[in-house]
Amino acid sequence: QYLLKTNPDGWRCDPPDGRPRKAMLLGDSLVMGWGCPREQTFAALLDGMVPQDMQVLSYGVPAWCAAQEILAYRRLAPKVRPDFVIVASTTLNDFEELSDLSWEGRGQGLPPDGPISAGKSHVCNWKYSVPVLRNSRAWCFLCTRAFKPLLDTFWIVADPGRTQEAEEARTARLLGAIAQERPLVVLCMPTVFEFEDGRNGDRYLETLRRCVPGAHILDFHPILRPIAREAFLSDHAHLTPLGNRVVAEETVRFLESEGLLGPCRGPDLP
């Protein structure tokens, strides 16, 4: 059990404060910190590691993908005025979730600028919404390996333009709209399911580099693979306190190496 507490605006972070520099962190339940107290999430840990004049503002919502992230960026950036934007892109389900969404101009390659409608229901999210089965590895296996592929096959037959490869490219183009305005950092986040299937996210990484050439990209597949057993919760998708700490530490090192930070405080941990 853990306490899920938000600020008055509904986000799991402190409101913007007097620190002059801001970093905006966007993502799904991984950024929100599913399964961990807020102080153990990588967003909160990262906020304690960056320079003292910088605040990390975490805007993470379960089942979000690039479409909602760019809408949130456009709504929040004029107020927050971030120095750079970090997007945690989960290579397991971000593309499936994007394939479920429709908006005006989607077929023409335009980013959403208004209401978004959803189509199919995500079978892979059943494992989160059935409390008695939430930590069942068998249930997670059935949702991800049996029910989800069947529904995905039906969906692709109904609309061949919504294959994973097409949605990977669409995700990259949506993130590219952010990169046109501010420095963009993309964290490519794996899950245990990808490790078990022998996948490493290479195709998406290549697509990102091609579509968003100026992005700063950090691939966590090789970082988390050796410690997958300790880094992920029993759902094989979300991070343990150890996994969150590793992600925060590696991210701050990367930001510093890319010239996006000044002197860092180091881990602000007990």
Side-chain angles (χ1 to χ4, degrees):
Q1 294 183 352
Y2 65 99
L3 177 65
L4 180 58
K5 185 178 180 180
T6 67
N7 67 29
D9 294 323
W11 306 108
R12 204 180 185 194
C13 66
D14 293 328
D17 58 25
R19 284 175 278 183
R21 294 198 292 161
K22 309 292 184 188
M24 176 183 288
L25 175 59
L26 298 168
D28 56 12
S29 53
L30 200 67
V31 168
M32 187 206 75
W34 184 281
C36 286
R38 178 186 157 192
E39 63 272 12
Q40 294 179 348
T41 64
F42 82 84
L45 295 173
L46 187 62
D47 185 52
M49 296 178 187
V50 297
Q52 293 183 355
D53 65 344
M54 177 176 287
Q55 181 182 14
V56 177
L57 296 166
S58 174
Y59 304 107
V61 176
W64 263 16
C65 61
Q68 292 100 335
E69 288 156 5
I70 192 171
L71 281 178
Y73 166 78
R74 287 177 167 171
R75 180 166 67 89
L76 296 167
K79 176 181 178 181
V80 173
R81 300 179 64 84
D83 293 81
F84 57 89
V85 178
I86 307 172
V87 175
S89 189
T90 307
T91 52
L92 173 71
N93 59 1
D94 275 15
F95 316 120
E96 177 210 354
E97 286 161 351
L98 183 60
S99 75
D100 187 30
L101 304 178
S102 298
W103 61 86
E104 187 175 354
R106 187 189 204 278
Q108 292 73 46
L110 299 176
D113 192 26
I116 295 176
S117 60
K120 62 177 180 177
S121 60
H122 295 303
V123 178
C124 65
N125 287 338
W126 292 354
K127 59 179 177 283
Y128 307 141
S129 58
V130 184
V132 71
L133 297 173
R134 186 168 295 151
N135 291 317
S136 167
R137 301 182 74 171
W139 176 246
C140 293
F141 179 89
L142 285 173
C143 286
T144 307
R145 304 294 183 83
F147 304 142
K148 176 180 164 313
L150 288 173
L151 188 58
D152 285 350
T153 300
F154 172 79
W155 189 249
I156 290 171
V157 169
D159 187 347
R162 299 192 186 225
T163 64
Q164 174 156 324
E165 187 172 1
E167 298 307 329
E168 289 176 4
R170 196 184 309 276
T171 294
R173 289 194 295 269
L174 289 172
L175 297 182
I178 298 176
Q180 291 176 3
E181 300 181 8
R182 283 178 170 84
L184 173 68
V185 179
V186 181
L187 309 180
C188 292
M189 306 302 299
T191 64
V192 175
F193 297 113
E194 292 166 276
F195 298 152
E196 293 175 347
D197 291 344
R199 290 177 286 161
N200 53 20
D202 281 352
R203 186 177 65 190
Y204 178 54
L205 288 169
E206 292 173 3
T207 301
L208 271 176
R209 294 187 180 107
R210 184 179 69 252
C211 296
V212 198
H216 307 267
I217 303 171
L218 176 56
D219 181 18
F220 273 97
H221 288 75
I223 297 171
L224 295 178
R225 185 187 298 271
I227 58 169
R229 184 180 297 273
E230 297 80 20
F232 288 91
L233 298 173
S234 60
D235 64 6
H236 288 193
H238 297 96
L239 298 171
T240 63
L242 172 65
N244 276 290
R245 178 170 179 167
V246 169
V247 169
E249 291 176 346
E250 293 295 331
T251 299
V252 79
R253 289 192 192 100
F254 179 74
L255 295 176
E256 191 172 23
S257 71
E258 296 291 298
L260 295 171
L261 300 180
C264 298
R265 288 179 281 180
D268 188 11
L269 299 169

